[in-house]
Amino acid sequence: MSSSAQGIVFSGRQAREHLSKHIREHGMGYPLVLDPSAYEKEVATPDSPFALEPPSLYGEDQFAATLSLLEGTRATLSLTPTKYLYSSREGVMALRRAVEMVNAVETTNLILSVPIDTAWLTELCDELITLLNGADIPTALILGSKGNPVDSERQAASLRRIIQEIEDIALLRTDMTAIDAMVHGAVFSSIGDTSSTRRTYPPPSRSYAPSPSDRSPNVLVPGLLAYYRGSKLAYHLRADTALCSCWACVDWADMGGGKPGTPGRPISGFQDKEDQRDAHAHNLEVWSGTWRELRREENPFLMRRAWSRLCSEAIDHHERYNRAISLKRDVFIPRPALRFWANHAR
């Protein structure tokens, strides 16, 4: 999302194919961003920060050939095929080399992909800011971790500092952290529609489900600003409580999905793999609605205050869920990042 438009970021191993199919079937009525996602498979080194294509027949070197291929996809913007950057001196040197390479070329629609291990936020924050401020093109952070990449107040504070101190920076493959980035200066952000696209896993790790038998979707709970697996919501919440009134859930009810006269869908109703599409539509509407609400504040300071207030209310809603809606107390715990967002409006 950006401050003025919504679009789609295509990531993963078949990103290019999915982008081409989307253009054939739907055209280009909104921004389309291509993320080659080289970081899912390879680790960056100072000698090889990018995954490069073979040299072309026209004498182009590998980097030039790679950029030519990206430009030929018709994407509105393309990310560089940067490999994964571990938080190490070698990772710092690899990022420095990546910046040098993109600064040496002329391009109009290229973004420097910066897929960093989450440890950069707390161990190499100063180096990261210095290096990215030296890039001549926009940059896009992608956070890597086996768990939630922003899982502490310290990480949330460091990420916000990075967003505020670097011009023309985006944050991709994340969760509601995207909104905190947007209200504090990111040029655009993207929220993944699955748990595996709300972060990247450090190679050679692969994404995994918490339970092989649990195929329920992840659901963004209105008011909590947090994702929970549908099976957990179904197990812990009282039936037919916490109705969602987003357009996707109201449409589901109008089509006969619930009891007659029910004005929405119980948030505990996304229990099976078959509910995946409905959950995606619901999640999209909830975070889009949150962003639309914040955008009503044209003054940046007032927007940040409004976001902080929503986060504070979300913490209160966690308590309400635990005391009035959940069958068991203390199931819904506010994440540390939410507490940071609530208490720091600057």
Side-chain angles (χ1 to χ4, degrees), residues 34-325:
L34 174 63
D35 174 12
S37 306
Y39 51 81
E40 292 187 342
K41 298 179 292 184
E42 299 182 68
V43 177
T45 66
D47 294 331
S48 181
F50 299 118
L52 301 178
E53 299 292 329
S56 72
L57 298 177
Y58 303 100
E60 292 180 316
D61 62 24
Q62 285 186 276
F63 192 47
T66 300
L67 298 186
S68 296
L69 187 61
L70 291 174
E71 290 174 353
T73 62
R74 296 177 61 198
T76 311
L77 298 169
S78 294
L79 273 62
T80 56
T82 316
K83 299 176 183 179
Y84 193 80
L85 295 157
Y86 275 104
S87 56
S88 63
R89 299 321 302 174
E90 185 172 67
V92 171
M93 294 171 62
L95 181 54
R96 181 178 293 116
R97 178 57 182 154
V99 170
E100 291 172 351
M101 290 176 69
V102 297
N103 284 352
V105 298
E106 293 186 7
T107 181
T108 57
N109 68 341
L110 188 69
I111 296 177
L112 175 60
S113 171
V114 188
I116 57 171
D117 193 82
T118 191
W120 278 76
L121 297 181
T122 51
E123 296 175 3
L124 294 170
C125 185
D126 290 340
E127 287 90 338
L128 181 65
I129 292 172
T130 299
L131 288 170
L132 296 192
N133 274 329
D136 294 338
I137 63 173
T139 57
L141 276 185
I142 299 165
L143 302 179
S145 175
K146 292 183 179 180
N148 191 323
V150 186
D151 200 33
S152 71
E153 293 195 36
R154 186 183 174 199
Q155 289 172 328
S158 294
L159 178 58
R160 183 182 288 181
R161 178 192 165 202
I162 291 164
I163 296 298
Q164 291 175 325
E165 295 190 16
I166 299 174
E167 293 187 11
D168 296 330
I169 189 169
L171 179 64
L172 305 185
R173 289 186 76 144
T174 187
D175 53 16
M176 297 299 280
T177 307
I179 294 185
D180 189 74
M182 289 295 294
V183 301
H184 287 90
V187 291
F188 70 93
S189 291
S190 71
I191 295 179
D193 60 0
T194 64
S195 58
S196 63
T197 54
R198 287 193 287 274
R199 63 179 177 276
T200 189
Y201 290 82
S205 301
R206 298 179 62 88
S207 61
Y208 58 92
S211 170
S213 60
D214 189 350
R215 306 300 298 274
S216 63
N218 283 281
V219 182
L220 180 55
V221 181
L224 301 189
L225 301 180
Y227 289 86
Y228 287 94
R229 191 164 284 275
S231 58
K232 180 173 182 175
L233 296 172
Y235 183 79
H236 288 290
L237 298 184
R238 303 178 193 278
D240 297 331
T241 58
L243 291 178
C244 178
S245 58
C246 77
W247 72 262
C249 290
V250 169
D251 187 58
W252 174 87
D254 289 345
M255 295 296 291
K259 295 179 181 178
T262 302
R265 181 171 186 163
I267 201 66
S268 59
F270 301 92
Q271 302 181 27
D272 304 313
K273 181 182 179 181
E274 290 71 24
D275 296 319
Q276 190 78 250
R277 183 182 294 272
D278 287 348
H280 287 172
H282 157 85
N283 293 344
L284 173 62
E285 177 56 20
V286 171
W287 65 253
S288 295
T290 303
W291 178 236
R292 286 194 299 268
E293 179 180 346
L294 292 170
R295 281 194 61 209
R296 295 193 184 103
E297 298 286 359
E298 296 183 2
N299 182 291
F301 172 75
L302 294 180
M303 182 184 290
R304 293 193 294 270
R305 290 288 298 271
W307 169 238
S308 179
R309 184 173 60 254
L310 284 179
C311 294
S312 181
E313 292 171 354
I315 293 174
D316 293 339
H317 284 310
H318 277 79
E319 188 67 12
R320 172 175 169 265
Y321 267 67
N322 284 326
R323 297 294 179 261
I325 298 175

